[in-house]
Amino acid sequence: MKLKLEISPDLAALMQAEIAAGEKAVTTAMREAGAGLKSAWRGQITGAGLGTRLGNSIRVATYPKGGESLNAAALVWSNAPVIVGAHDTGPLIRSRNGYWLAIPTPAAGKSTRSGRITPGEWERRTGLRLRFIYRRRGPSLLVAEGRLNSKGRAVVSRAKTGRGLTTVPIFLLVPQVRLRKRLDLARDAERAIDGVPGRIVAGWHQV
């Protein structure tokens, strides 16, 4: 007597198809989660008034670079981690040398380099000398004797009579300042992570 056992359909083929479906579902879910988190972080940054340039520093990459995998992953990061991280944590900022932080007033204008204008750059640019004024209450000041132009910037007075000459506060001096927390990146990251299982299940069932 001969017995012949046939399994229909082919279980090995079914398992291989199920694995392929899982790889596609996981990879798609991670790509969607990564793209969604990138968009959320960019939206937070621009919504906080930090500008589209800083928002565009957010990048995303999905692994593997090619093909699909059950171990697919997404990485979202910023090309300006120090700036983004500072607005995310709200750190206490102190002067490097232990003295004062110079905060420019509108009369100081903007730096021709990156970042805020410094007292040294301001003096070189304007030709005016800054004078220190200590105040017991409130921030101390760096002031200059000049005049305000039409843009509200302090400039040298050309009047021989001294007409229009005034003492203009150029920098506020403080020992430290706490940067206001303007972002909550962890909130969006947690939402993205929590949504991954549902994305995988939904994608797997559609295959």
Side-chain angles (χ1 to χ4, degrees):
M1 178 184 293
K2 277 189 176 183
L3 293 177
K4 185 178 180 182
L5 179 64
E6 290 186 1
I7 300 176
S8 181
D10 188 339
L11 288 182
L14 284 177
M15 290 300 297
Q16 190 59 44
E18 194 67 15
I19 291 173
E23 289 175 339
K24 182 175 182 180
V26 172
T27 303
T28 299
M30 296 311 300
R31 286 173 180 164
E32 292 176 349
L37 182 56
K38 181 188 76 170
S39 178
W41 279 5
R42 285 186 173 184
Q44 266 204 65
I45 291 170
T46 56
L50 299 175
T52 56
R53 183 176 180 181
L54 187 61
N56 289 338
S57 74
I58 302 299
R59 297 284 191 269
V60 62
T62 306
Y63 303 94
K65 292 290 187 179
E68 297 167 340
S69 171
L70 290 172
N71 296 317
L75 175 64
V76 183
W77 76 96
S78 170
N79 284 336
V82 175
I83 299 174
V84 172
H87 288 292
D88 187 42
T89 59
L92 184 66
I93 301 175
R94 295 185 175 92
S95 171
R96 292 180 180 178
N97 55 23
Y99 293 103
W100 303 93
L101 288 173
I103 311 299
T105 67
K110 296 181 180 181
S111 174
T112 55
R113 308 170 184 175
S114 60
R116 291 181 174 181
I117 190 169
T118 64
E121 181 188 352
W122 189 88
E123 286 186 331
R124 289 191 298 271
R125 191 183 69 186
T126 63
L128 293 170
R129 299 294 296 175
L130 291 167
R131 180 164 55 90
F132 174 74
I133 296 181
Y134 174 77
R135 296 198 299 174
R136 182 174 298 178
R137 295 184 179 180
S140 296
L141 304 172
L142 286 178
V143 303
E145 306 302 324
R147 65 177 180 84
L148 293 176
N149 63 14
S150 59
K151 296 181 179 180
R153 309 281 173 78
V155 295
V156 175
S157 176
R158 303 298 183 187
K160 296 181 179 180
T161 60
R163 180 185 175 188
L165 191 66
T166 185
T167 300
V168 183
I170 307 300
F171 292 91
L172 305 179
L173 300 177
V174 295
Q176 61 187 31
V177 63
R178 182 173 293 280
L179 189 66
R180 181 167 63 91
K181 179 177 170 62
R182 305 172 75 175
L183 304 173
D184 189 354
L185 302 183
R187 178 195 65 200
D188 288 340
E190 289 171 1
R191 288 177 179 173
I193 293 171
D194 291 344
V196 168
R199 291 179 183 274
I200 293 175
V201 171
W204 207 321
H205 287 171
Q206 290 175 5
V207 177

